[in-house]
Amino acid sequence: MRHLIAGNWKMHGTLAGVAAYAAAIKAAPDHADMLICPPFPLIEPFARALAGSGVAVGAQDCHGAAQGAHTGDVHASLLREAGAAYVILGHSERREAHGETNAHVQAKVQAAVAAGLTPIVCVGESQAQRDAGEAAHVVKSQLIHSLPADFTGVVAYEPIWAIGTGLTPTEDDVAAMHGAIRAALIAHLGEAGAMVKILYGGSVKPSNAASLLAVPEVAGALVGGASLKPEDLLAIAAAAPRG
Ligand code: PEP
């Protein structure tokens, strides 16, 4: 399985910065897939700037409905039309700050797939849940309730306590959780569950990428802070195992 290195720009970036970033990221290594997920208004300029480069563009959210009276929201077909190929869904920052439930996430997944987007569905436990020994149970429950039974797409395991903190789980902890996620995916989706890419996200940077990306069942990374510098995202992609 080729590794996917996905940059989540969150609420950063400007129109003026797209051209230089796109020019730099086009030097992507050819043994890994790369993806940039900027704020909505930068999707179309990025898609134009990266056309033909092999680096894909994605969004950070979409609505669960095809269209309608939803002020401030964006539907999945419009994202596709703007040039997005992927969409991040159920990121913990959206689950926390926007009250997104597993049911919301599942509706968004269905809307995204119907529009031709590949969803990247985020799951992960809080520090308190990990301390209470509930991490695997929480993640499994998020998966079962966020993914429709015919899910196609990508899953990202992002422990909340590792996002933006500089902390990361041990490689053994990542291996254990990715193994549990794989088992849950197969139980929920059948054979198709064996094909789903499972990314790791949470404080991935050039210095820890090689060890995290080499963990069994880690098929790539969802990268927040370090994705803002193209040289860091490229270094992370270069650290992905070959083949
Ligand atoms: C994220 O928010 O998806 C993320 C992984 O952030 P960071 O890499 O900054 O921890």
Side-chain angles (χ1 to χ4, degrees), residues 12 80 96 138 239 241:
H12 297 288
R80 187 87 191 94
E96 281 175 16
V138 166

Side-chain angles (χ1 to χ4, degrees), residues 54-130:
V55 179
V57 181
Q60 299 171 19
D61 183 41
C62 71
H63 198 275
Q67 277 200 38
H70 302 290
T71 303
D73 285 314
V74 179
H75 64 78
S77 297
L78 183 56
L79 298 173
R80 187 87 191 94
E81 198 182 336
Y86 290 80
V87 58
I88 298 169
L89 296 173
H91 191 284
S92 59
E93 288 158 8
R94 295 206 59 85
R95 289 180 188 261
E96 281 175 16
H98 297 266
E100 282 190 12
T101 63
N102 292 322
H104 291 132
V105 176
Q106 184 164 158
K108 291 174 182 219
V109 168
Q110 284 167 321
V113 172
L117 297 173
T118 299
I120 301 176
V121 178
C122 302
V123 293
E125 81 285 358
S126 67
Q127 184 70 64
Q129 289 165 332
R130 174 155 286 263

